[in-house]
Each structure stands twice: as C-alpha cells, then as structure tokens.
Amino acid sequence: RKEVEQDPGPFNVPEGATVAFNCTYSNSASQSFFWYRQDCRKEPKLLMSVYSSGNEDGRFTAQLNRASQYISLLIRDSKLSDSATYLCVVNMSWGKFQFGAGTQVVVTP
Amino acid sequence: EAGVAQSPRYKIIEKRQSVAFWCNPISGHATLYWYQQILGQGPKLLIQFQNNGVVDDSQLPKDRFSAERLKGVDSTLKIQPAKLEDSAVYLCASSSRTSGGATVTGELFFGEGSRLTVL
C-alpha cells in the first residue's frame, strides 16, 4: 500500500461548478498535511496547509480526518485557472514530506 | 527574495553517461531536498540534507546516484552511469527549520527543476 494515495482523475469540471477529492495516508503518526498545486511542466507550489479543524482560503476548503486518515480539498466556483494537478503532501516526521501522485483537475468553459 | 536556483534546466544524455545537477537554496534555509519526478507521478524524495548532513537518503539509488552539500549551502546531485529509467525532472527544494528541528510551516520552496532525458 502506498503511503499517500490519490485518485489520479482527471476530474473534468464545468466552470463555476464545485469539485472535491480526497487523499488517504497510511501512517497514523503523520504530523501535518498540505495541498500543493502543480501546473503542467512547472514546479509544485504550496496551495494551503490542512488543519484538524478544517480551513478555508477563498474558494478552497481543506479538511483533515485523522480517524479515517484522509484529507480532502474542495474547490468552489471553479475557474479555468484552477486547472492543474493537486498534490497531497504528508509530513511524516523530521521534515520528511511524502507526496501523492496527484489529482488532475480540468476546468472546462 | 531570490528563489531556489537550479541548473541546467534541460539535459539530454545517452545511457551510461554521467550528469550533474546543481541547486542553490533560498538563503538561510537549512534543509535541502532532491526529488525525482517521473512523468505522471508525484515527486519522490531522493535525499534530504540538514545543513551539510544527510537526514534521509533511503530512496537514493546509491550505486549510481550521489549527492553532496559540502558547505551546507548549495548542493550537487550526480548520476553515473545513467539509465533510461532515470529520465525525469529533478526538483530541488528547500525549507526553513526551527532550532527544535522539525519544519514548522511545512512549506517547501521548489526550483524550476532540471529535466533529464536519457536516450
């Protein structure tokens, strides 16, 4: 079993719609969680951290469920510019970051 | 503030040749990472440095890959000899750390990557 698993997609989303996807992790001792965004042929960039209480940043909402060992990302009112691959990242320990394979989102006009 | 610098951006070599990639992290960042990202996959950690010491190199294929960060600043990743399956983007990232050791913000700052094609 992979340490961090994601649905690869693609999720084809009409502009203005809502899309949500999850990421599961295997190590229950994982300390912190993040969503990174990676555009085609570009480097990953931090989108948002994920806190136990859930957190929101504009149209993006992230949630953590420690009991079931998954995190989620929801994008509301999708924009064409949201088209990207979203990487789930888990901080295992001592600054060791484990990346998922990514979920591709394609927003269509 | 200058970001993470990597070079070269692109490299094409034949199998069994050698290649070296260079990375200069953000000034003051003690932790430096080398990741390998194969097309369609997430980044895979090759090696993690804390200053000039190795924290984790468990996934580094040591028979052909080597990395160093001699002065705790810039770093070099070398592949010798290269194989076809080494074709990937090699990403360097850096992060800051507290005096306690664990990364606080969790933000990794990536360079633009070095794209390697092995023919």
Side-chain angles (χ1 to χ4, degrees), chain A residues 15-70:
Chain A
E15 196 174 5
T18 296
V19 61
F21 40 89
N22 294 339
C23 159
T24 59
Y25 60 96
S26 61
N27 187 341
S28 59
S30 298
Q31 299 176 356
S32 50
F33 309 86
F34 311 90
W35 285 104
Y36 276 69
R37 171 190 169 129
Q38 186 170 28
D39 293 308
C40 187
R41 301 179 75 86
K42 297 287 189 180
E43 73 274 21
K45 292 183 179 178
L46 179 67
L47 177 67
M48 58 197 302
S49 302
V50 187
Y51 303 119
S52 297
S53 55
N55 49 300
E56 193 174 300
D57 183 0
R59 299 179 293 105
F60 296 83
T61 301
Q63 294 208 311
L64 166 64
N65 185 317
R66 282 194 183 271
S68 300
Q69 294 184 206
Y70 74 86

Side-chain angles (χ1 to χ4, degrees), chain A residues 2-3 6 8 31-34 36 38 40-47 49 51 85 87 89 91 93-102, chain B residues 9-10 31 33 35 37 40-43 45 48 55-56 58-59 91 95 97 100-113 115:
Chain A
K2 292 182 180 178
E3 292 181 341
Q6 296 185 248
Q31 299 176 356
S32 50
F33 309 86
F34 311 90
Y36 276 69
Q38 186 170 28
C40 187
R41 301 179 75 86
K42 297 287 189 180
E43 73 274 21
K45 292 183 179 178
L46 179 67
L47 177 67
S49 302
Y51 303 119
T85 296
L87 297 165
V89 183
N91 184 0
S93 64
W94 279 99
K96 179 179 177 180
F97 295 89
Q98 187 71 39
F99 283 75
Chain B
R9 289 291 311 280
Y10 305 93
T31 310
Y33 307 79
Y35 284 88
Q37 187 172 26
Q41 299 181 18
L45 179 67
Q48 176 186 346
V55 174
D56 184 352
S58 57
Q59 297 190 88
L91 293 163
S95 70
R97 277 192 168 223
T103 302
V104 175
T105 68
E107 183 165 9
L108 297 177
F109 295 85
F110 285 88
E112 292 182 304
R115 186 174 298 273

